[in-house]
């Protein structure tokens, strides 16, 4: 089961179905990520274990390693540009970030600085730098090669943040009020653009922001189940999609397809909606996940026609249409 690379079309998207279900975890899966080459998936769970899955094994996708993180816990599991290393946040004792070799299950480096829970980790798409956002009202910048924080931006409220698709710019969402754009090379000079968003976008807490592959839009997700498409150049709300009826107690989990033509959102009762980002219509009628638990994580594979959903169960989805 490889989910060969192909063009995403409405026909392909409508044909997605569950192809593989793994053994349930003891607790909620709080984060999933694919390696850049699409060959591996890593997840972190509230059971304080990190699991690695090989997706292109001849015998089919399988879990190849379980790495306990009982002392510090794990969340926001994120691959570096190597499929043998991840960065993750701690959940217990402190809020440090931890750089882990999946090859020998040993930590390479710890990144100390955050004083409250980390809410986002995002690798630069072009190099070994990454950013983190936290409930301590800071966005911090790091380099995998250096233990010390490379820079800090203080935010009045709970921040969300992401790099754009080029890695030259990053966006910071602040206090359900505005989005600021910074140069990744000179962020200490402050934002070069600030977008004040309409009040309608602030009705529900912002939970994530993601760039489209072409760099033209940001997808702004909210706890209320709505996702807003923001013009990356003018800051205007182009459209809003979503369904309040599938909003969960988790941060809303949405993911762009690799071409950014579709946005998938997971929600209450194991439901998945897939929206066409050209027409802003729902191309896939809501359909059920393997179980009725709320979806905590959803992500598209960056190289293969595949996406994954998770609650306490990990499921891989493949299209049946050619």
């Amino acid at each position: 089961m490889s989910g060969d690379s192909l063009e995403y079309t409405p026909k392909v998207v409508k044909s997605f179905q569950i192809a593989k279900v793994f053994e349930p975890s003891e607790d909620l899966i709080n984060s999933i990520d694919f390696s850049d080459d699409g060959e591996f998936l890593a997840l972190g769970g509230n059971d304080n274990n990190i699991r690695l899955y090989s997706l292109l094994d001849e015998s089919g996708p399988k879990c190849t390693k379980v790495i306990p993180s009982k002392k510090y816990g794990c969340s926001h599991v994120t691959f570096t540009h190597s499929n043998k290393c991840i960065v993750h946040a701690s959940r217990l004792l402190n809020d440090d970030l931890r750089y882990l070799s999946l090859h020998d299950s040993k930590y390479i480096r710890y990144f100390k600085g955050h004083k409250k829970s980390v809410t986002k980790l995002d690798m630069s798409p072009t190099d070994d730098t990454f950013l983190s956002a936290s409930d301590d009202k800071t966005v911090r910048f790091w380099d995998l090669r250096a233990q010390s924080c490379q820079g800090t931006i203080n935010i009045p409220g709970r921040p969300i943040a992401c790099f754009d698709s080029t890695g030259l710019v990053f966006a910071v969402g602040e206090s359900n009020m505005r989005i600021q754009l910074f140069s990744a090379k000179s962020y200490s000079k402050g934002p070069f653009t600030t977008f004040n968003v309409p009040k309608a976008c602030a009705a529900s807490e912002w939970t994530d922001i993601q760039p489209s592959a072409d760099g033209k839009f940001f997808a702004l997700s909210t706890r209320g189940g709505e996702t807003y498409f923001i013009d990356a150049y003018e800051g205007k709300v182009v459209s809003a999609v979503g369904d309040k009826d599938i909003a969960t107690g988790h941060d809303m989990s949405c993911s762009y397809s690799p071409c950014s033509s579709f946005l998938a959102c997971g929600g209450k009762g194991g439901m998945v909606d897939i929206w066409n980002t050209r027409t802003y219509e729902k191309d896939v009628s809501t359909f059920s996940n393997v179980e009725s638990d709320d979806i905590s994580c959803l992500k598209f594979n960056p190289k293969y026609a595949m996406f994954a959903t998770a609650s306490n169960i990990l499921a891989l989805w493949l299209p049946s249409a050619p």
Side-chain angles (χ1 to χ4, degrees):
M1 184 185 76
S2 64
D4 293 340
S5 180
L6 52 76
E7 181 183 0
Y8 281 88
T9 65
K11 180 181 179 182
V12 168
V13 166
K14 291 176 182 178
S15 73
F16 267 101
Q17 55 190 355
I18 293 175
K20 176 72 175 181
V21 177
F22 296 92
E23 288 294 319
S25 299
E26 295 179 5
D27 208 332
L28 185 75
I29 297 168
N30 60 46
S31 54
I32 59 176
D33 196 28
F34 289 98
S35 57
D36 283 357
D37 59 15
E39 296 183 7
F40 296 92
L41 181 147
L43 66 79
N46 287 357
D47 62 357
N48 303 320
N49 287 311
I50 296 165
R51 290 178 168 82
L52 178 67
Y53 297 82
S54 175
L55 304 178
L56 302 186
D57 194 87
E58 291 184 359
S59 60
K62 63 181 181 181
C63 181
T64 57
K65 183 170 287 192
V66 179
I67 304 173
S69 184
K70 301 299 184 183
K71 184 175 181 180
Y72 294 99
C74 54
S75 68
H76 300 282
V77 167
T78 303
F79 270 101
T80 68
H81 295 301
S82 165
N83 63 17
K84 293 180 172 58
C85 294
I86 61 167
V87 179
H88 72 84
S90 306
R91 295 179 56 247
L92 308 173
L93 294 185
N94 60 43
D95 301 293
D96 296 346
L97 310 178
R98 311 173 77 79
Y99 180 19
L100 174 66
S101 167
L102 298 172
H103 172 68
D104 55 11
S105 305
K106 294 182 178 179
Y107 284 101
I108 300 169
R109 192 163 288 118
Y110 307 123
F111 305 97
K112 299 177 180 294
H114 284 303
K115 304 303 181 184
K116 291 186 178 181
S117 297
V118 171
T119 57
K120 179 70 178 282
L121 286 180
D122 196 31
M123 286 293 305
S124 166
T126 58
D127 59 29
D128 286 334
T129 60
F130 65 101
L131 62 78
S132 58
S134 168
D135 280 334
D136 64 11
K137 300 181 182 180
T138 66
V139 176
R140 291 179 176 266
F141 298 89
W142 313 88
D143 190 311
L144 290 174
R145 298 161 292 187
Q147 185 168 337
S148 60
C149 178
Q150 304 297 294
T152 303
I153 296 176
N154 294 296
I155 306 296
R158 183 181 190 265
I160 54 174
C162 71
F163 285 100
D164 78 341
S165 57
T166 68
L168 299 175
V169 172
F170 64 87
V172 175
E174 174 197 331
S175 303
N176 291 20
M177 295 171 53
R178 54 182 166 259
I179 296 172
Q180 297 178 318
L181 302 185
F182 294 78
S183 166
K185 299 298 184 183
S186 56
Y187 53 82
S188 61
K189 297 179 180 179
F192 63 83
T193 299
T194 298
F195 303 137
N196 293 307
V197 301
K199 290 183 179 180
C201 298
S204 183
E205 182 181 9
W206 297 353
T207 58
D208 197 13
I209 186 169
Q210 301 177 55
S212 62
D214 58 12
K216 294 181 179 179
F217 302 98
F218 290 107
L220 180 66
S221 300
T222 70
R223 196 175 295 278
E226 306 93 347
T227 296
Y228 299 94
F229 293 99
I230 310 294
D231 186 295
Y233 299 102
E234 298 181 0
K236 296 179 179 178
V237 178
V238 178
S239 187
V241 301
D243 187 344
K244 294 180 180 180
D245 292 336
I246 70 167
T248 71
H250 314 299
D251 286 358
M252 191 68 181
S253 185
C254 297
S255 177
Y256 271 118
S257 62
C259 59
S260 294
S261 296
F262 300 91
L263 184 83
C265 300
K268 185 179 295 184
M271 311 305 282
V272 176
D273 286 343
I274 303 182
W275 300 83
N276 188 313
T277 62
R278 304 292 187 259
T279 64
Y280 304 109
E281 299 290 334
K282 191 190 298 184
D283 264 11
V284 172
S285 298
T286 306
F287 55 141
S288 181
N289 191 13
V290 63
E291 281 201 354
S292 59
D293 291 340
D294 297 349
I295 291 177
S296 56
C297 308
L298 183 154
K299 195 148 195 175
F300 275 99
N301 188 307
K303 294 295 184 183
Y304 298 95
M306 173 192 298
F307 70 86
T309 57
S311 50
N312 70 318
I313 295 175
L314 175 67
L316 299 180
W317 302 67
L318 294 179
S320 59

